[in-house]
């Protein structure tokens, strides 16, 4: 026995551009969600950054989430948790040109704001034994650096001057290597502000790899 109050709300709406200005959402009603649209092209790799997240939960026991839906309404990025410190989603590749939706679902009864930043992956050139590029990222922006390799080569990645990295082991930044077919060659290795170096991996085939 007991009682409860129901609050029925329209989703907050708006639009956002890839690599454009950030958008701040203001949630004033309990349980209200948001649906922000953007236009994308087939093949683009994008991610969403969340900052100033007063609607985020304060710990990992319960999370606010952000997801991305394809133009047909099916899921491209499954709900990804973020907290009051904000966060950044994994990158996803857009399968087709069209209008996509970012859906934000605040935790529990939280009211307040979250700022979304939508970005295409950084992709400066890099080569084995070549110069070291510097990545300067927007909130939540990831990097996808392509390099050419030959079958049998052993390679590793070093990370330095990592001001974009996490400061402790509670939250981490990662670096990984993907094979030419997109499958994982090196699983994500954590790094912090002091930097890090990955284990060596042997390239299984000649082709274009991604860090």
């Amino acid at each position: 026995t007991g009682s409860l109050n129901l609050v029925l709300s329209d989703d907050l709406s708006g639009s956002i551009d890839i690599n454009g200005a950030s958008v701040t959402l203001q949630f004033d009603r309990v349980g209200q969600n948001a649906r922000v649209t953007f236009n994308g092209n087939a093949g683009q790799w994008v991610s969403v950054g969340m900052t100033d997240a007063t609607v985020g939960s304060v710990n990992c026991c319960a999370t606010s989430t952000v997801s991305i839906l394809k133009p047909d309404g099916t899921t491209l990025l499954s709900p990804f948790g973020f907290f009051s410190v904000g966060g950044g989603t994994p990158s996803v590749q857009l399968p087709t040109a069209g209008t996509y939706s970012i859906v934000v679902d605040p935790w529990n009864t939280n009211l307040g704001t979250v700022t979304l930043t939508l970005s295409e992956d950084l992709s400066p050139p890099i080569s084995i034994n070549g110069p070291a590029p510097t990545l300067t990222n927007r909130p939540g922006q990831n990097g996808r650096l392509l390099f050419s390799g030959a079958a049998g080569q052993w390679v590793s990645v070093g990370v330095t001057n990592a001001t974009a990295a996490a400061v402790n082991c509670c939250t981490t930044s990662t670096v990984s290597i993907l094979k030419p077919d997109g499958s994982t060659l090196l699983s994500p290795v954590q790094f912090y502000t002091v930097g890090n170096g990955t284990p060596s991996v042997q390239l299984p085939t000649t082709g274009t790899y991604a860090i």
Side-chain angles (χ1 to χ4, degrees), residues 91-175:
S91 296
V92 289
Q93 189 175 34
L94 305 184
T96 185
T99 301
Y100 292 77
S101 297
I102 301 170
V103 178
V104 181
D105 185 354
W107 172 66
N108 206 342
T109 59
N110 278 11
L111 304 178
T113 63
V114 62
T115 297
L116 302 182
T117 304
L118 177 64
S119 305
E120 195 166 12
D121 284 6
L122 296 168
S123 189
I126 192 171
S127 58
I128 297 172
N129 297 330
T134 297
L135 302 180
T136 302
N137 66 305
R138 288 152 48 95
Q141 188 175 29
N142 300 323
R144 182 172 296 265
L145 288 70
L146 305 181
F147 69 92
S148 297
Q153 283 184 291
W154 285 90
V155 300
S156 61
V157 180
V159 180
T160 58
N161 303 320
T163 59
V167 296
N168 57 48
C169 60
C170 294
T171 56
T172 60
S173 302
T174 65
V175 61

Side-chain angles (χ1 to χ4, degrees), residues 24-49:
T24 297
L25 302 172
Q26 176 71 50
F27 296 88
D28 293 323
R29 295 172 60 83
V30 171
Q32 187 175 34
N33 299 327
R35 188 174 297 260
V36 179
T37 60
F38 69 91
N39 293 320
N41 296 315
Q44 285 185 290
W45 286 91
V46 301
S47 61
V48 182

